[in-house]
Amino acid sequence: MERYLGDLCFFVALTWCWVTISCNVVCLREERDALVAFKKEIYPSLIFSSWNGLNCCEWRGVECSRETSHVIKIHLSQFSVNSIYLDEHYPTTGILSPALFKLKYLEHLDLSANFFSGIVPAELSSLHRLKHLDLSFNYFQGQISKHISSLHNLTYLDLSCAGADLDGSILWRLGNLSQLQVIDLATKIYLVEERSYCSYHCGPVYSPSLNWTENVRGLKHLSLQGIELNMTGKQLEAPLSRLHSLNHLNLKDCALSGHIPNALRNLTSLSHLHLGWNELTSSLPTWLGNLTGLVSIHFDGCDLTGPFPPSLSRLPHLKEIKLSGNKITGNIRQILPCEAWPQLTIFTLSHSNVTGSLPPCIGNLSALQYLDLHANSLNGQIPASVGLLSALVYLRLSYNLLTSNVPSELGGISCLEVLYLDHNHLNGTIPNSLGYLSRLSSINLANNNLEGSISLHFFENATRLVELSLSHNKLTVHIEPEWIPPMQFQELSLGSCNIGGLIPAFLSTQFRLERLNLSNNSLFGNIPAWLGDLPNLRAIILRHNNLQGELPSSFDISHYVQIYLGHNMLTGSVPIPSVPASDLELLDLSQNRFTGFIPVEIGSLLPNIEFLLYSENDLRGDIPTSIGLLQKLRDLDLSGNNFEGKIPSSLTNCTALKRLNLGNNKLSGEIPSKIGSLRQLEKLHLNDNMLQGNLPSDVQSCRKLQILDMANNFLSGNIPLWLGQLSDLMILVLRSNKFHGWIPHALGNLSTLHVLDISHNNLTGAIPPELGKLTGMMDGEAGGSEVLNGQSSSGRSYYYKEEIYVTNKGLNLAYVDFVLLLITVIDLSSNQLSGDIPSEIGNLKHLHVLNLSGNSLTGGIPVSFGLLEQLESLDLSSNKLRGRIPGQMVQLSFLSFFIVSNNTLCGRIPSGPQFSTFNSTSFSGNHGLCGFPVDNRSCGCDHNSSAGMPPVSEDEEEEEEEEIPWYWYVSWMASFAVGFWGVFGVLCLKKKWRVIYIRVLDGYAVGLLNIMSLRK
């Protein structure tokens, strides 16, 4: 026993000595000096606070060998343990000293997620023992490829977003490093919810193939995200088939195309498959369900089609599924099996074609942290079981068809940080339980049907709240005058929330506010000076209020990215930035009371402006020529002012223009001859000016034109044939000019046209029958909402008002916004057109307004007009039309305005539901017409009453007979019965009356014979 006890004591003593010696490893002096030299070249972060004393092996991030005391590991990464985001408060900056690479025994070097810059020293190639190298997320410069090719013991290499120039040769050089197991060369990094690039410099890399993988068959992790491989799925087959050990493959955004490589089905060790943001136009293969080790699948942004494969439900270890940005179809209840993926943490399937209602069992996905199904066609209500998702951090169901209430159970998800339910059909009130979500950072309930009153006090528990959007509901938001919120908003959107009074004073405390939307409210008073002092405010949206007065001096537009002040009562001069507003991309001052001139130097003051909206003010003078310097300008609206002079020719240098509106001014001269330089132009409004000359032939180069409005000018010449080549043209208005000649037959080629107004000109000749081929007026698919929407380079959508005047039902009406996209019009009135009306016009079943008045048209009204089933307004007055009004027109159930006055029509006016609503003025000046509502007794189209008219055919006679109402026949039969039986019946029953009746007839007969004999 004592022997064993003695042996045990000896073993314990020996162990203690070994531990003591091991724990007191002292670094070598020359290696400590190398680390000190390295530290001198950088601005150290907190991680270097322990770098004091003689023993560098005890410094944080440094590890030495217990056997040799050499430094073998340096780990200075600034990555947070639980996040991909960087510690921006304490980065390490500076350059790498060559002294660092004197550590010849270094096996592990990790400098990731710092702000290192400069050139990576060539001495890196001398670290022959190096196995692990991570330089990711830095700002290095210059070539690094050749320094790595000699590191033959390297097993781990991460240069993702390192900033260094990675040329195509780096992949071939890596082919010589046969020990490599991990390669990460990603040049782009995406956040989990969107395709967002990291802020680091990630230079482009091009590679023609992956044949270099022949020598690195032990590769387990391969990430080439962002490298332009420019390969098809078929070309990937052979390289991927060699990597049997691969468990992590990331080829996101690598310019791949074609089908998903079938070679992947044999990589049975695969756990992470990331092929998103490529052009893989195939469908998701069913064999994915055989790769039972898969943990994450990323195919987002690939334009995949077809149904969601049920075989994916056989993957029990799945944690991440990212399929957003495809055209995947199916019902959400089949796509999201509640029991199949117990470990699922991320599921994204936005911007697809998914239908159905969310399954009630969704609450069984207890590990789910991130759910994004926005921009689909989901319907029904949000199930209450969503409140069981206790780990949920991010929920986005925006842009669907969801109905019913916002479930109060959402308030029980204590981890919830982001809640987006905007752009649905949700109704009811905002549940009180949402006010208890203390971790909430973003909530968006905009564009629903929510109602009731709510105070911003409601969100006081959410002290981390940075984004709040309640816009465009039926809510009334109350803001107490003295309220100071406990949170600092970054984005606050309360548009259309029935907010009155002055601009809320609490906003003066919001120093982190970046975007403010208080549009479509009832705010009044001046814009306060403190609003211009908010240091981070970049987008301000105050349009559609009753704000007045001049802009405060503190409001310097050079500080902003977007400014919406339209539709108020603001006065004063157009604001001028103190310095060139290089960040400003949108300036909306429309429909106010600004006066004065546009600054002559506007081209240099707003160098990056994209949307410049000054319409409906009282601005005057010439349009500055410097406006031609605005190379990024996409939308210029100066309409409704008092600008004079010529349209500056320099405007044709703004080649990014998509919309140009100079209407309702006093501009004169000719349209610039080089306007065709605006190849991106989609909407051109030059109406209501004093422009002269021909329509420049250069306009035909604007092949993307959708709207062309030249009304109310003094333009002349022929309507050019090349207009028929503008295949995207939807609205063509040349009204009230001096155009002459024939209507070009080529206009019939405009398949998308749905407004054609060339009235009040001097056009002659016949109406071309080709107008009956305007398919945009035949199938009713004439336009879309994209005509009224735009998007800035920063990705923010914006909306502008599009307005066209059309003569409808005898009135000159303005059609704006989406109504403009729905109406279809042909107006050829007040010209000198002649000949017959083409029967082909009857093909335009979705035509709403047809005006051919004030011409010299002859012939009859085509019977085919009875097919214009959507027609609401028809004006054929003041022509030379003859014949009958076709009886088939009684079928036009939408016809509410009909006028054929001052023609030579004849016959009975058709009777029907709509025709009974027209008064006599609709038919005046046609002496051959009869029937309701005119009083003419003479009726018909015979030679006596309608000399010169064409003979009436049997079909027309039958039509006229069919036009006699049923009650006429009833009354005729009743009269016949009374008259016939009242006389003949009495004669049959009374013999005495029969004798008297015969004697009377006999007397008349004798008298008639005597008169005839006397005349002889």
Side-chain angles (χ1 to χ4, degrees), residues 738-756:
K738 296 182 178 180
F739 290 109
H740 56 79
W742 293 58
I743 299 175
H745 293 197
L747 293 183
N749 298 329
L750 300 175
S751 59
T752 60
L753 195 69
H754 69 121
V755 173
L756 173 62

Side-chain angles (χ1 to χ4, degrees), residues 187-198:
T187 62
K188 297 174 183 177
I189 301 297
Y190 309 111
L191 301 181
V192 67
E193 68 272 15
E194 298 288 352
R195 191 187 188 190
S196 301
Y197 298 146
C198 65

Side-chain angles (χ1 to χ4, degrees), residues 522-634:
S522 301
L523 299 173
F524 57 81
N526 294 350
I527 294 177
W530 51 257
L531 192 62
D533 294 329
L534 296 177
N536 292 302
L537 192 58
R538 293 294 177 265
I540 180 168
I541 307 172
L542 299 175
R543 61 185 177 189
H544 289 282
N545 280 287
N546 299 311
L547 300 172
Q548 56 193 26
E550 297 187 8
L551 297 176
S553 58
S554 61
F555 192 83
D556 190 343
I557 65 174
S558 63
H559 296 163
Y560 299 92
V561 175
Q562 294 180 335
I563 299 174
Y564 293 88
L565 297 178
H567 297 264
N568 281 286
M569 295 180 287
L570 300 172
T571 58
S573 302
V574 171
I576 301 175
S578 58
V579 295
S582 57
D583 292 331
L584 190 63
E585 65 180 33
L586 188 149
L587 178 59
D588 180 6
L589 303 178
S590 59
Q591 297 197 35
N592 278 284
R593 299 175 182 176
F594 290 107
T595 57
F597 305 87
I598 295 179
V600 174
E601 64 274 33
I602 189 171
S604 57
L605 293 175
L606 307 176
N608 295 313
I609 196 74
E610 297 182 30
F611 309 98
L612 186 59
L613 313 176
Y614 285 163
S615 63
E616 304 295 332
N617 282 285
D618 193 19
L619 304 178
R620 59 187 186 277
D622 292 346
I623 299 174
T625 57
S626 68
I627 207 166
L629 300 175
L630 304 178
Q631 296 296 306
K632 295 184 179 180
L633 191 63
R634 300 171 64 184

Side-chain angles (χ1 to χ4, degrees), residues 111-173:
L111 303 178
S112 60
N114 284 287
F115 285 2
F116 287 114
S117 59
I119 297 174
V120 177
E123 287 81 357
L124 172 64
S125 60
S126 64
L127 300 180
H128 298 297
R129 291 179 173 83
L130 199 63
K131 298 179 180 179
H132 183 112
L133 177 61
D134 190 344
L135 302 180
S136 61
F137 291 90
N138 279 287
Y139 292 90
F140 293 117
Q141 300 169 358
Q143 293 286 337
I144 194 175
S145 307
K146 58 184 178 181
H147 305 331
I148 297 173
S149 59
S150 60
L151 305 178
H152 294 289
N153 288 311
L154 207 61
T155 61
Y156 184 104
L157 176 63
D158 191 347
L159 299 179
S160 58
C161 279
D165 293 331
L166 304 177
D167 58 21
S169 66
I170 187 171
L171 296 176
W172 292 100
R173 295 176 187 272

Side-chain angles (χ1 to χ4, degrees), residues 646-714:
K646 296 182 177 182
I647 299 173
S649 58
S650 61
L651 193 59
T652 60
N653 296 327
C654 302
T655 53
L657 265 178
K658 290 191 172 183
R659 180 174 179 263
L660 175 60
N661 192 344
L662 305 179
N664 286 285
N665 281 288
K666 299 177 181 177
L667 299 171
S668 58
E670 297 186 353
I671 300 171
S673 59
K674 295 184 179 180
I675 196 170
S677 301
L678 307 178
R679 301 295 176 89
Q680 303 301 316
L681 199 62
E682 297 175 357
K683 296 99 181 174
L684 177 60
H685 299 263
L686 301 179
N687 55 291
D688 294 277
N689 281 287
M690 297 181 287
L691 300 173
Q692 302 174 349
N694 296 336
L695 195 61
S697 60
D698 210 35
V699 175
Q700 65 184 303
S701 298
C702 305
R703 292 303 179 93
K704 296 183 179 181
L705 264 182
Q706 298 173 350
I707 298 177
L708 179 60
D709 186 0
M710 300 286 180
N712 299 305
N713 280 287
F714 300 107

